[in-house]
Amino acid sequence: MGLPILENQVGILCVIMVLLLPVLCASQDTFTSSRATYYGSPDCYGTQSGACGFGEFGRTVNDGSVTGVSRLYRNGTGCGACYQVRCKTPQYCSKDGVNVVVTDYGEGDKTDFILSPRAYARLARPNVVLDLFARGVIDIEYRRVSCHYSRYNLMFKVHENSRYPNYLAITVIYAAEMNDITAVELWQEDCKQWKGMRKAFGAVWDMANPPSGSIKLRFQVSGSTWVQSKYDLPALWSVGVAFWF
């Protein structure tokens, strides 16, 4: 079992589990045509109030190359998914475009992506960034790609709205490769069965009156495979302490 650690300057409580998730594939081969725009941000990062429930983490993950999506949000299942986005205006745009992480929901002018300014700027070729911003809405193509995080396969945090011991909420932060988390369950020792957590919103799952004592969790990955955490959530889980496994 890992040792408690102090959180970074963001000060968000996390409980971290490293799981071996199945690898689905490196990326989708086919690009889909769509449109993209960007949202205003004074520091060019994402928003702390994103619909996925990532909080401060959602501003700076992937070096700030994040996005809100519309139909790709999929009632929050799309939170944390990674996409390669590239624009279709050669005089302005780089060949490879930018890889982004979904952290929010948003709708624009028939757009699938509302990019952070940092991500939008990375679509452009050198010296024409301002010209691309001036266009506002652009034609793009995108495909889903694998997410890669150093040292993580899956990570979740105890959400800051949790209240020990009567209310537990967790946010799935990292899901490596091309995996979607479609269900989360807790083991109830008294009745010897798994009990599903409620999909609260975005990537947040919750349960009122969770089991007492240490808690086993398992995650349904991409609608079929169940992956059980190697370590239990400690009996005295609380907001303010981080665990590394």
Side-chain angles (χ1 to χ4, degrees):
M1 178 175 172
L3 298 175
I5 60 172
L6 295 177
E7 187 56 79
N8 59 20
Q9 66 267 27
V10 175
I12 298 176
L13 163 69
C14 293
V15 173
I16 301 171
M17 297 285 187
V18 177
L19 310 176
L20 297 178
L21 296 182
V23 177
L24 299 183
C25 56
S27 66
Q28 296 175 340
D29 292 331
T30 304
F31 282 87
T32 300
S33 295
S34 185
R35 285 153 60 86
T37 185
Y38 63 94
Y39 55 82
S41 171
D43 58 5
C44 296
Y45 283 100
T47 173
Q48 188 176 4
S49 58
C52 289
F54 292 154
E56 185 69 22
F57 167 86
R59 285 174 34 79
T60 58
V61 64
N62 196 38
D63 194 28
S65 288
V66 298
T67 185
V69 292
S70 52
R71 60 193 176 96
L72 298 175
Y73 184 72
R74 295 178 288 136
N75 194 33
T77 301
C79 289
C82 296
Y83 291 91
Q84 180 186 3
V85 179
R86 59 191 189 189
C87 64
K88 300 167 69 174
T89 310
Q91 65 266 38
Y92 296 115
C93 302
S94 65
K95 177 181 178 181
D96 295 327
V98 62
N99 285 9
V100 293
V101 179
V102 175
T103 61
D104 199 1
Y105 174 86
E107 296 182 5
D109 183 10
K110 298 181 180 179
T111 61
D112 278 312
F113 293 87
I114 302 180
L115 302 168
S116 68
R118 292 176 72 88
Y120 196 85
R122 289 168 179 165
L123 290 173
R125 294 191 294 106
N127 303 319
V128 293
V129 174
L130 294 180
D131 295 317
L132 188 64
F133 271 96
R135 295 180 66 88
V137 179
I138 56 174
D139 293 324
I140 57 102
E141 57 184 8
Y142 70 91
R143 63 177 178 175
R144 187 166 180 184
V145 296
S146 292
C147 297
H148 297 289
Y149 302 109
S150 176
R151 304 166 67 185
Y152 302 113
N153 285 312
L154 187 146
M155 173 175 134
F156 70 88
K157 72 169 185 174
V158 173
H159 195 272
E160 51 268 26
N161 288 342
S162 297
R163 296 294 181 265
Y164 180 86
N166 299 318
Y167 175 72
L168 173 64
I170 67 170
T171 308
V172 178
I173 298 295
Y174 293 115
E177 302 300 334
M178 290 175 62
N179 294 293
D180 293 330
I181 304 302
T182 54
V184 181
E185 294 183 341
L186 304 182
W187 175 253
Q188 290 201 297
E189 183 63 29
D190 54 351
C191 53
K192 305 296 183 183
Q193 68 178 12
W194 291 98
K195 184 176 181 180
M197 299 187 78
R198 181 181 72 105
K199 182 69 170 289
F201 65 93
V204 179
W205 303 79
D206 68 358
M207 178 181 287
N209 302 312
S212 59
S214 60
I215 300 175
K216 299 181 186 295
L217 297 101
R218 69 176 185 177
F219 301 82
Q220 190 176 46
V221 181
S222 296
S224 57
T225 304
W226 283 97
V227 181
Q228 185 174 332
S229 59
K230 184 177 180 181
Y231 298 97
D232 297 346
L233 191 67
L236 298 177
W237 56 265
S238 62
V239 172
V241 179
F243 292 84
W244 176 266
F245 298 93

